[in-house]
Amino acid sequence: MVVIIGMMKKPETKMVYFERINRVLVYIDRNLDEKLDLQKLSEMAHFSPFHFHKIMRAYLRESLGSYIIRVRLDTAASLLLY
């Protein structure tokens, strides 16, 4: 029974992390014209800046700064086309 409880915690932890990460990604998408700093985004996700950076890099498979630049460029290209 202890093993089952331990196994159940991991998916819950992943879901909590996913919700926190998703909240930050939505914020980034809605606020591309603002200065987005690591401290503010990590506080929003309730992680330390160091832990947040590692989590985001693993989740996005690129650095957070690169992600923000890419999304800004994609949005600008889209606005120019339409």
Side-chain angles (χ1 to χ4, degrees), residues 27-28 30-37 40 68 72:
Y27 178 82
I28 290 170
R30 292 182 181 168
N31 296 284
L32 289 173
D33 58 334
E34 295 181 17
K35 181 181 178 191
L36 302 167
D37 66 13
K40 182 177 181 177
I68 292 170
R72 284 178 173 160

Side-chain angles (χ1 to χ4, degrees), residues 41-71:
L41 297 175
S42 65
E43 287 173 3
M44 185 180 305
H46 304 288
F47 292 119
S48 71
F50 176 78
H51 193 63
F52 175 72
H53 185 269
K54 287 180 69 172
I55 291 169
M56 293 302 286
R57 187 165 189 78
Y59 183 79
L60 298 172
R61 296 187 179 168
E62 65 182 326
S63 71
L64 184 60
S66 295
Y67 171 79
I68 292 170
I69 291 169
R70 184 174 52 78
V71 172

